[in-house]
Amino acid sequence: MNRRERFKKITNFQEADRVPIDLGSHVATIHRFAYEKLKVHLHNDPDIKNTDLVLDRMVQNVVPDEKVLRRYNVDFRWIAPHWIDVVDVRDDIYRDMWGIEWQYMLDAYSVYSSPLSEAKTVADLENHPWPDPYDPKLVTGLAERAKWLYENTDYVLVADAIKGGILTKALQIRGYEMMFADLANNLEMAEALMDKLLDLYKKFYSHFLDAVGPYVQMVYFTDDIGGQSSMMISPDTFRQLVKPRIAKLIDHIKSEADVKFMYHTDGTVTPVVEDIIEMGVDILNPIQTSALGMDTAVLKELYHGRLCFHGAIDVQQMLPFESPEGVRYDVARRIYDLGRGGGYILAPCHNIGSDVPPVNIEAMYEAAQEYGRYPINLEHILKPEHLQKPTAEQIAAQAAPKKLKRRPRPRK
């Protein structure tokens, strides 16, 4: 079975020969410091390159070398749009194409200034120098690379995300404090900004998919709505303001190319998983198991046959601090929970951080190949409590609550 056949079966909730394995997207690859340590661990193999090939400047991750991807039997190859119109403001600060300034802190960049934080009216939004979604530099060389990979390999090809998202980018460009205030007290401004971003993302993806659409099997979109212990906004606000706009973007993307749509949101999102399915999402990423309520066994019980899962290998607590044996056990557990009956792609649930030891990276991918073979039989590996079906109480606690009809808040 080749990789694209495997992907098709898995995403149609059928068992294949093994669980697909992934690494390489701009929010699920490896930090450059961890990559350097991995290269040393692999005896400084001179054929392993890309230690300085940064994929996402903000989080300081790299494009893994082909030799690394082949070592870990990765089934996917990610095709990322180029960073454009980036300006270095000073040694530790750069400005991106949206006008947001980012400052280097510890081992990555954080928002330093938001260009629309002082905007007073909707007219101020129109006066902002928005990026050109049809800039040819965005896709230079991507069509040729995608075509070559499509015709000469069996890898699953993915159109990586155009950075940000409708809510995330609004928070960054307006400023978190101002955007949250707008969502509460100035809906006219909040909706105008999100509508502008929706229009731009439609055009960005049209341009991107005009280049790579004939060759890719999946499109990725990132827009965080979840935090560590709760959602960043209320479920009702998500349903009223964010969900309809993402649904329109998904419809637009699927009209441009025959693809599966993968949606990335960190954190706990259990109150709105049904809404995520209704938006047209095929695959949910990253399944952050360290966040409140993101129980993989319960997610599978509730949504198998309607939603695929990608990720679930924790980079926040498990990969940095567990022993290799503990990593192997966690991989077995996630494969057992999510992989039975198809519908699961194994990957780190975010970038492999600078604090992850190389032996744990090796353990993760070795266990993925060993335990991910169908039929999945891990009863001899897992503890009895991890083999039990979720109880009715566990399912009820994680199931999305019934939607409440509320009168819309007044616009100001």
Side-chain angles (χ1 to χ4, degrees), residues 352-389:
I352 297 171
S354 58
D355 55 353
V356 175
V359 290
N360 282 0
I361 300 172
E362 293 273 282
M364 171 174 60
Y365 284 106
E366 288 172 0
Q369 295 181 59
E370 180 179 349
Y371 298 144
R373 298 284 173 181
Y374 287 104
I376 291 169
N377 180 12
L378 297 173
E379 285 79 2
H380 63 296
I381 300 291
L382 297 178
K383 299 174 183 176
E385 60 266 32
H386 294 147
L387 294 169
Q388 296 174 356
K389 289 190 66 172

Side-chain angles (χ1 to χ4, degrees), residues 86-152:
V86 175
V87 177
D88 287 308
V89 177
R90 65 188 200 199
D91 288 347
D92 62 335
I93 296 175
Y94 72 88
R95 183 185 305 116
D96 68 16
M97 68 178 181
W98 302 96
I100 305 162
E101 292 186 350
W102 301 82
Q103 183 175 30
Y104 191 77
M105 301 176 68
L106 298 178
D107 62 0
Y109 286 82
S110 299
V111 173
Y112 176 73
S113 70
S114 301
L116 289 175
S117 61
E118 301 298 324
K120 303 298 183 186
T121 67
V122 171
D124 293 333
L125 304 183
E126 291 304 320
N127 293 329
H128 180 68
W130 296 101
D132 176 9
Y134 298 111
D135 188 325
K137 298 191 299 292
L138 186 82
V139 298
T140 301
L142 299 187
E144 294 80 3
R145 177 169 179 257
K147 184 175 188 291
W148 189 92
L149 286 167
Y150 182 78
E151 293 178 348
N152 294 280

